[in-house]
Amino acid sequence: MMDILNILLSESFWAASLRIATPLIFGVLGALICERAGVLNLGIEGIFVVGAMCGWMAVWLGAGLWGGVLVAALAGAFFGLLHAILTVPLGLSQHVSGLGITLFATSVSYYTYRTALPNVSSPPRIEPFQPLDLPVLSDLPFLGSVLFQQTALTWLALLLVALVWYVLNRTALGVAIKAVGDNPDSVDAQGLSVYGLRIGAIVVGSALMALGGAFLTMSAFDAFFFGMVNGRGWVCIALVIFASWRPGKALLGALLFGAFDALQVRLQTEVGALVPGQVFLMVPYVLSIIALVIAARSADYPRALLTPWFKGQR
Amino acid sequence: AETVKVAAIYTLPVEQQWISRIHKALNAAAERGDIEYVFSENVANTDYERVMREYAEQGSQLIVGEVFGLERAARKVAKDYPDTAFLMGSSFGPVGPNFSVFDNWIHEPSYLTGMVAGAATESNVIGMVGGYAIPEVNRLMNAFMDGAREVNPDVKFLVTFIDSWYDPPKAKESAIAMMDAGADIMYAERFGVSDAAVERGVKAVGNVIDTSGDYPGTIMASALWHMEPTIDKAITNVASGSFEAADYGQYSFMGYGGGSMVLDEELVPADVVEAVNARQAEIMDGLFRVNVNDDRPVSDN
Amino acid sequence: MTDSIVLKLNGLSKHFGPVIANDNVSLTLNKGEVLALLGENGAGKTTLMNMLFGHYLPDAGSIEVADEGGVLRPLPLGHPQVALASGVGMVHQHFTLAENISALDNITLGSEPLLSLRRNRRAARRRIEGIMAQSGLSAPLDTPVGRLSVGERQRVEILKALYRNARILVLDEPTAVLTPQEADTLFENIRLMTDEGLSVIFISHKLREVLAFSDRIAVLRHGRKVGEMATSEADEKSIAQMMVGAETPELAGSYLTPGDPVLTMSGVSVAGRSKRDTLTAIDLTVHAHEILGIAGVSGNGQSGLANVIAGLVRPEQGLIKVDGVEIASPTPAKMVRAGVGRIPEDRHHEGIVGAMSVAENMVIERLKDPEVQSYGLLRREDIQDNAERLSKAYDVRGPGVDAPARLLSGGNIQKLILARVFDLSPRLILANQPTRGLDMGAAAEVGKRLLNARARGAGVVLISEDLDELLSLADRIVVIRDGELHEAPGRDREQIGLMMAGEPA
Amino acid sequence: MIRIELRQTQSRAFTLGVPILSAVIALGFAAIPLLAAGANPIAAYAEMFRGVFGSVFAFSEVLTRATPLIFTGLAAALAFRAKLWNIGAEGQLYLGAMAAVAIGSGVLDITGILLLPLIVLMGAAAGAAGMVAPTYLKTRFGADEVVTTLLLNFIILIFVQMMLEGPLQDPMGLGWPQSAPVLDQGMLPPLMERMRVHSGLVLALILAGLAQFMLARSVWGFKLRAVGENAAAARHAGINVNRSLFGVAILSGGLAGLAGVSEVAGLKGYLTADLSPGFGYTGIVVAMLAGLSPVGVVIAALFIASVFVGADSMSRAMGVSSFLADLVVSVSLLCVLVGGFVARYRIVRASTARAVS
Ligand SMILES: Nc1ncnc2c1ncn2[C@@H]1O[C@H](COP(=O)(O)OP(=O)(O)OP(=O)(O)O)[C@@H](O)[C@H]1O
Ligand SMILES: Nc1ncnc2c1ncn2[C@@H]1O[C@H](COP(=O)(O)OP(=O)(O)OP(=O)(O)O)[C@@H](O)[C@H]1O
Ligand SMILES: [Mg+2]
Ligand SMILES: [Mg+2]
């Protein structure tokens, strides 16, 4: 018991939680934007891979770290655009298109990586983002090491939470996105383009998802690996609902998930012999389901989610 | 001699440490002109048998791979193609006439790197991050622990398995957690651990491949696996028509050059280097036998 | 006079596949005028207006709209935002509101630059409040629209158009979901605005309000304009004749002696989620040979009452007897078996499974029936025959009994439901808003069927917001208010209206 | 301006031609990665064809790979018909497989003939059990089943790993995380000598036919369709919606469980945590490609399986990266998806100018 308390009070635990949460924050924000506009994007898992691969590859080819971030976002946007074209004007099944995009994005990334680097025996490395060491702030007692020893990408993620919240709740664009996800006719009748809003939301959302992948290869680690995304994208899909499509709660959900993972890693060394390690691995998922059941009563779905809309059709 | 047609089937990408060693040895043989080499990587277990049969049908003379997930099926295929030689990473024994096995028997160098680690730790806590608790991994970890205990009876170990062969960010998080818990030497069974060590300025010990170039000043020592003796032996046997079902495991022993240990003399004190070298000589001379223990290692509490 | 023309539709045509929705329709609208556009269900009224607003692109024809200076200019077709910019505002037949944002956000949606980081909500609110004061239409601005009543939503829809400076306002069946009082208020407010120069086209099936509030009437039949007249020269009969091309029958139910009670509810209470479906200790008896009318302002518990009788909601307290037999913990299936026929309020949502065939929808309530299945397998031929028979008997017209039910027009969907319900010779019929949105011919058909059932010996619970309909069909009227029932003393329009509004009778 | 209209009529040639054309276009796209890797696309396609139809063995492999996809495809198709979005076939597959090895590896003392039916039944039951909780949470609390079933996939997979390192671990397995093998009399018999295709395929085909028949002809199917198309109307009409949902949930989970049984007792003989390369997820794709029709599922599963097996074998023959196979599958999938759209709708160009004049 003391152990758990010690862990929970340690700075490094919270720093780790935030670090583990960062890719999820990007992903869940991206998924949230898509779904707010009424489109489920199951391409997320593949878009993570594409972001991870392209961002890393760009840096490796000499584009610089921020260049890599940009490339990752563009790659994500490209696959988002593909999903958008298939699901918005063509109105195809969002499930199939999404799973198809995941398969496509993943295999394109792997194939490209392997074709470009056919004979590596260990993955080439880049110089990744370093923790932002801010003069005074980093020396603050607790927050110092939790917040100010993260890399710039974690900061970007936190900034994006605020930005997405602001856009959704305080700007005309946000109102329009929420409206198009609830009732596309409301937007159409006011002279706005349903297609434009939805496609835009998916493209931007997918770009954010790709940043989640880029974080893995450019901040959490410094090389690209096959299978390194490992289901993180799917977790974001669950977190969106946990978050009731709100950026604030999305941050909370991602942090909770990260905290459990961090706790799990720490507890396993202690009690790994007594309880199978897998029990800890399950906890975040089980808790997500419990949280979902509690949240479900109040969860208000974007009503138009999954429903295609065609102009001039009943 | 004629070139031998060799096909390899890997269940993971060729960057994976373990596989990279086989891939490297086969590439070397191909460069020498001894073999014609083709391979399939990342083959799902479900598809593995098909790929084996395809290569056999296409006339590969030697098929190399790993059948840990499909021991039965692989032996069935070998039976159906008695004229093809199979050399497979496996926990089980060979089956006549044509199914041979190998494994990464580098518990000896692991023991030696354990000695280095045991001597180096100041907190007397060593962290170990593994993939899965399978015999091949447990064996090396246990040997490493034995080595460390030989030079430092007070040493304690923290052990975690990340339940994945391939999740560097996760391995890194696990390593960080261990260093938070006091570990000052990390046993890097997986990719990602050394990165955490670098970040925290802690020393690490490598496994299977030599990554000291990637982490200068961090990797004190590494237990290396060399597939060349195994592969070359098999190729020679196939070329001469004398390939038989056999356990090639011994070719991974230090005595055959299948395992070795490197250490960074700038990071390891001279007296430790001396002790390790002495032990190494004893192993080579057959005077010291490293214990083989396949049980899952657990943290000391 | 030409300078006062604000809108000209020139020879507009539109087809959907084989359906010709509009055929060479021309129409003009004068400044400050209220033009009523009439026609049966499917006559093409909505289609015509949707072309004006840019939702649909005409196959042929053009539109001219007067600019602020009164000069007629061609309107580029197919772009709602252009129509909005030219001063055309439209209130759609079905709400086009996003329910997850506030009324204010719905109203300002599309009027602000999307990419600006700031909004001027204060200015917008001031303007809307101004419009509300001027037009007499008001609605809470900050509540999510999903929580507004239908009346409030209807007003938000109109405010949306006015906020965009509409000089021409199209109202597609604005009163279909309003009570008579609400409708009257709405039209009085519209009158205020036409005095200020607004021009209005409104579509309605309620001739009373058309005669009371319009200046001019245009009638569509089968997509063509078949007539136009000044309202002062029109009467119900002549309009009806023009719409359907024939006279509609008068409804008259002769007096019948009520028989035994077929439905008894005593002390039935339901704690609903809102006022709409809450009931407090209701006592109610319906007899054979009797139509009981339930009058009330919408949202006063009608849904709750209908849900209980339909078996959808299990009351917390109280006793329900059908034909003298108590129904313990009712379900829809139990109610059907007990002989209750149910005509749901929302026929698209609750009445039919649109993707399934007409034939299947006709047997959906009797899947246990040996005529429908044996050993769990559907008897497809019998189902087919049944559908052919019912279609003929109830005049269900459409692309055939194998076609998906959603392809039927609203009136024919209602006939399908009537056929299904009446064919089982129910002891009790629950008819919830059975004529909402139906044209006169179809509405008369429903009334006739209800009267026939009554004559046969069934009891009917008729829930309607149309007092005229209740007065013409019901033997007895009770008023529902705040989830309680109040017996109406007589059949006096005024008095019932006052009771509905909650004033002491 | 461009608009999309539902086609009123559809010629037969068109219905058949569009999917074929889509597949051809997909191959056209696949030339890009081939060229990028320096391979000759024409030769590659010849190899791909050979990889599917080149030998009895090749085609038997297609059938082998299609078998689990038919099961998971049916699982998704039935559930989706009722608008029960079961994304959890992957997890249910593992539940079925776990049950199969738990019973089939000789734990129970059961005589020969009974063992196989018992394995099949218990595997299906285990898969079905995996759908009970999500369906309960959905009907009782309104918890979204997309998320619960998706999350359960992870939980179950971790649970499988735990079992494989614990109670289910093969005592003879030298510590590998794998189960003891299914006894010989518990194995689904192979259909052909020296081939992997096994009688699980027959079971899958029978179930597909049965599902097709029951959906169209039975009262159960009627209710299922009604619930899926309009649950409110179904409820109003007296159909017990929750009961229907539970019924289809159990069937769907059971079918997915059978996929696991078929892989374990038909193919591999024992369970490892990497039994399925995403068959559960691919099943969703199969179901949607099939337009949720059970017979269509068979065709779609064969299509996906042949593209994969063909492309995989081609990648080896051409010496390009084996990731090509997934790439070709995904491109084909997207093309066929768009093709299906073209078959159902047409794109109308309406000129605004003409209308204004
Ligand atoms: N000053 C304002 N400008 C714009 N919109 C406002 C303003 N004040 C309130 N709102 C509206 O109030 C609604 C609720 O805002 P609130 O701050 O509660 O956000 P929220 O929906 O709770 O989101 P989150 O959970 O992410 O914080 C928003 O939809 C927004 O439209
Ligand atoms: N988008 C569409 N697609 C196909 N058919 C349509 C479409 N819109 C209208 N129709 C058809 O065009 C005809 C005219 O429909 P419209 O909605 O204009 O009638 P309406 O006069 O408004 O009827 P109601 O009084 O029921 O509202 C009908 O037969 C209808 O089914
Ligand atoms: Mg808030
Ligand atoms: Mg209309």
Side-chain angles (χ1 to χ4, degrees), chain A residues 10 12-13 16-17 19-20 110 113-114 117-125 130-131 216 219-222 224-230 232 261-262 264-266 268-273 277-278 281, chain B residues 13-17 20 23-24 27 39 41-42 158-164 166-170 172-178 180-181 191-193 195 199-200 209 211 214-215 296 298-301:
Chain A
S10 76
S12 88
F13 165 74
S17 304
R19 200 164 48 232
I20 298 172
Y110 289 179
Y113 178 84
R114 175 53 80 237
L117 301 163
N119 268 319
V120 290
S121 55
S122 84
R125 289 159 185 275
Q130 297 300 321
L216 294 177
S219 180
F221 206 61
D222 57 4
F224 176 76
F225 284 85
F226 297 97
M228 82 186 293
V229 172
N230 208 2
R232 287 177 176 88
D261 221 9
Q264 175 267 122
V265 159
R266 281 162 176 77
Q268 215 202 100
T269 49
E270 312 279 333
V271 287
Q278 288 93 352
L281 293 176
Chain B
V14 292
E15 283 92 340
Q16 201 269 338
Q17 293 113 304
S20 70
H23 190 53
K24 180 166 168 263
N27 269 329
F39 71 94
E41 61 182 328
N42 216 40
L158 299 175
V159 187
T160 313
F161 293 95
I162 59 169
D163 274 355
S164 162
Y166 233 58
D167 196 337
K170 193 164 185 181
K172 191 172 163 186
E173 283 300 339
S174 292
I176 289 175
M178 287 181 169
D180 286 344
F191 276 134
V193 177
D195 301 77
E199 250 180 56
R200 293 291 178 95
I209 57 171
T211 53
D214 290 329
Y215 309 98
R296 177 192 181 116
V298 293
S299 303
D300 302 303
N301 274 354

Side-chain angles (χ1 to χ4, degrees), chain A residues 28-193:
Chain A
V28 74
L29 282 182
L32 179 149
I33 294 173
C34 296
E35 291 182 30
R36 272 289 189 174
V39 180
L40 176 69
N41 189 352
L42 291 183
I44 183 167
E45 181 80 9
I47 292 174
F48 258 73
V49 177
V50 147
M53 205 285 284
C54 291
W56 170 86
M57 180 81 89
V59 178
W60 189 67
L61 293 173
L65 282 171
W66 288 106
V69 170
L70 186 69
V71 169
L74 288 177
F78 171 79
F79 284 92
L81 183 64
L82 195 58
H83 183 60
I85 291 172
L86 293 177
T87 54
V88 179
L90 298 189
L92 294 167
S93 152
Q94 296 175 12
H95 285 112
V96 184
S97 170
L99 290 172
I101 295 283
T102 282
L103 191 58
F104 184 44
T106 307
S107 52
V108 163
S109 308
Y110 289 179
Y111 187 81
T112 310
Y113 178 84
R114 175 53 80 237
T115 309
L117 301 163
N119 268 319
V120 290
S121 55
S122 84
R125 289 159 185 275
I126 58 168
E127 189 60 43
F129 277 101
Q130 297 300 321
L132 277 188
D133 225 340
L134 299 176
V136 185
L137 295 173
S138 305
D139 301 330
L140 285 177
F142 193 84
L143 272 184
S145 56
V146 176
L147 272 180
F148 295 96
Q149 287 184 13
Q150 306 286 351
T151 67
L153 282 184
T154 299
W155 279 95
L156 180 63
L158 294 175
L159 205 69
L160 280 169
V161 173
L163 185 69
V164 171
W165 181 88
Y166 184 86
V167 169
L168 277 180
N169 291 320
R170 291 290 180 272
T171 70
L173 179 64
V175 169
I177 288 175
K178 288 198 269 189
V180 81
D182 184 76
N183 182 4
D185 288 331
S186 70
V187 170
D188 185 52
Q190 292 281 57
L192 293 175
S193 163

Side-chain angles (χ1 to χ4, degrees), chain C residues 265-283 300-320 330 335 480-484, chain D residues 235:
Chain C
M265 297 170 72
S266 34
V268 170
S269 294
V270 172
R273 256 176 304 162
S274 70
K275 212 177 120 189
R276 295 170 45 79
D277 40 19
T278 300
L279 294 181
T280 334
I282 287 222
D283 294 315
N300 266 284
Q302 287 96 328
S303 304
L305 181 61
N307 286 342
V308 167
I309 300 176
L312 289 166
V313 165
R314 196 174 294 178
E316 273 99 61
Q317 269 168 27
L319 194 76
I320 302 172
M335 285 310 208
I480 189 165
R481 196 178 69 237
D482 289 334
E484 291 174 26
Chain D
R235 190 164 117 76

Side-chain angles (χ1 to χ4, degrees), chain B:
Chain B
E2 230 179 281
T3 55
V4 177
K5 288 173 81 177
V6 180
I9 314 166
Y10 308 118
T11 60
L12 290 167
V14 292
E15 283 92 340
Q16 201 269 338
Q17 293 113 304
W18 202 89
I19 285 169
S20 70
R21 306 309 286 173
I22 312 172
H23 190 53
K24 180 166 168 263
L26 285 167
N27 269 329
E31 250 155 61
R32 286 197 307 269
D34 292 351
I35 63 170
E36 237 175 79
Y37 172 45
V38 292
F39 71 94
S40 276
E41 61 182 328
N42 216 40
V43 175
N45 262 338
T46 325
D47 300 312
Y48 203 96
E49 192 183 330
R50 175 176 71 253
V51 180
M52 283 177 81
R53 287 180 189 273
E54 269 184 22
Y55 277 136
E57 290 283 347
Q58 284 166 18
S60 296
Q61 293 161 276
L62 172 64
I63 297 180
V64 183
E66 16 124 18
V67 297
F68 298 107
L70 61 168
E71 304 272 5
R72 270 223 292 203
R75 284 169 175 78
K76 216 166 59 197
V77 178
K79 210 167 122 201
D80 286 344
Y81 296 94
D83 298 334
T84 310
F86 292 85
L87 176 63
M88 293 292 175
S90 163
S91 305
F92 293 82
V95 179
N98 58 339
F99 191 89
S100 295
V101 297
F102 67 87
D103 210 340
N104 63 332
W105 290 94
I106 53 164
H107 51 296
E108 297 160 337
S110 295
Y111 185 94
L112 300 177
T113 58
M115 292 172 67
V116 173
T121 176
E122 280 163 21
S123 64
N124 283 343
V125 181
I126 296 178
M128 311 177 79
V129 179
Y132 290 95
I134 56 149
E136 315 1 61
V137 172
N138 299 347
R139 188 183 299 152
L140 306 189
M141 283 187 162
N142 285 323
F144 173 88
M145 291 160 89
D146 288 347
R149 288 203 184 95
E150 181 195 324
V151 298
N152 182 352
D154 297 331
V155 71
K156 285 190 182 315
F157 295 93
L158 299 175
V159 187
T160 313
F161 293 95
I162 59 169
D163 274 355
S164 162
W165 291 129
Y166 233 58
D167 196 337
K170 193 164 185 181
K172 191 172 163 186
E173 283 300 339
S174 292
I176 289 175
M178 287 181 169
M179 292 184 283
D180 286 344
D184 67 347
I185 303 281
M186 293 304 303
Y187 177 68
E189 208 268 329
R190 293 287 112 197
F191 276 134
V193 177
S194 306
D195 301 77
V198 171
E199 250 180 56
R200 293 291 178 95
V202 155
K203 301 282 181 285
V205 171
N207 182 42
V208 174
I209 57 171
D210 186 2
T211 53
S212 54
D214 290 329
Y215 309 98
T218 294
I219 309 288
M220 311 178 75
S222 302
L224 303 184
W225 185 35
H226 308 286
M227 261 302 271
E228 284 79 4
T230 314
I231 291 289
D232 294 348
K233 179 79 187 157
I235 293 172
T236 318
N237 286 345
V238 172
S240 65
S242 59
F243 187 88
E244 274 175 11
D247 188 345
Y248 281 65
Q250 55 182 336
Y251 297 106
S252 292
F253 286 23
M254 289 184 88
Y256 285 92
S260 71
M261 196 265 319
V262 288
L263 50 72
D264 188 334
E265 299 208 4
E266 288 183 10
L267 302 177
V268 184
D271 57 328
V272 180
V273 174
E274 208 170 295
V276 171
N277 282 340
R279 188 57 90 211
Q280 176 164 348
E282 285 176 17
I283 292 175
M284 300 291 256
D285 296 343
L287 297 176
F288 183 87
R289 221 181 61 82
V290 176
N291 195 24
V292 172
N293 175 3
D294 289 350
D295 294 342
R296 177 192 181 116
V298 293
S299 303
D300 302 303
N301 274 354

